[in-house]
Amino acid sequence: MKLYFSPGACSFSPHLALREAGIDFELVKVDLKSHTLVSAGSDFRRISPKGYVPVLELDNGKRLSEGPAIVQYIADLKPDAGLAPKAGSFER
């Protein structure tokens, strides 16, 4: 898994959720001013056409691009981590 992020942006909550869930992932820093990947200099819009972070890229190449959806996905991957109430429950 890869999490595309930018410091100070709303990519912090998925970053924290991944760490709390104990999921192995790679951080990929994005320069939001130039819409480039910091390490490679390539165009981030190829990954996220809107140019926004966060983006979570799964090992199969699929991508999630909205913070709340990413956090919910992470919580559902590791329900024992207690990041969200059980799917389908009243509490959720």
Side-chain angles (χ1 to χ4, degrees), residues 3-18:
L3 178 65
Y4 295 88
F5 81 104
S6 185
C10 14
S11 47
F12 183 68
S13 63
H15 185 171
L16 183 61
L18 285 163

Side-chain angles (χ1 to χ4, degrees), residues 71-72 74-76 78-87 89 91-92:
V71 171
Q72 184 174 344
I74 294 164
D76 289 344
K78 298 286 185 165
D80 293 339
L83 299 175
K86 182 179 175 186
S89 69
E91 292 78 11
R92 180 84 167 246

Side-chain angles (χ1 to χ4, degrees), residues 7-70:
C10 14
S11 47
F12 183 68
S13 63
H15 185 171
L16 183 61
L18 285 163
R19 294 213 183 270
E20 287 292 319
I23 296 172
D24 289 330
F25 67 100
E26 176 185 347
L27 281 172
V28 181
K29 190 175 180 180
V30 176
D31 181 331
L32 292 178
K33 290 182 183 178
S34 64
H35 298 286
T36 58
L37 303 180
V38 172
S39 62
S42 55
D43 187 1
F44 177 59
R45 288 189 190 114
R46 290 181 146 177
I47 293 159
S48 175
K50 294 179 184 178
Y52 300 149
V53 293
V55 173
L56 182 67
E57 184 175 275
L58 308 179
D59 293 336
N60 64 8
K62 290 185 179 184
R63 296 181 181 126
L64 294 169
S65 61
E66 297 294 331
I70 293 170

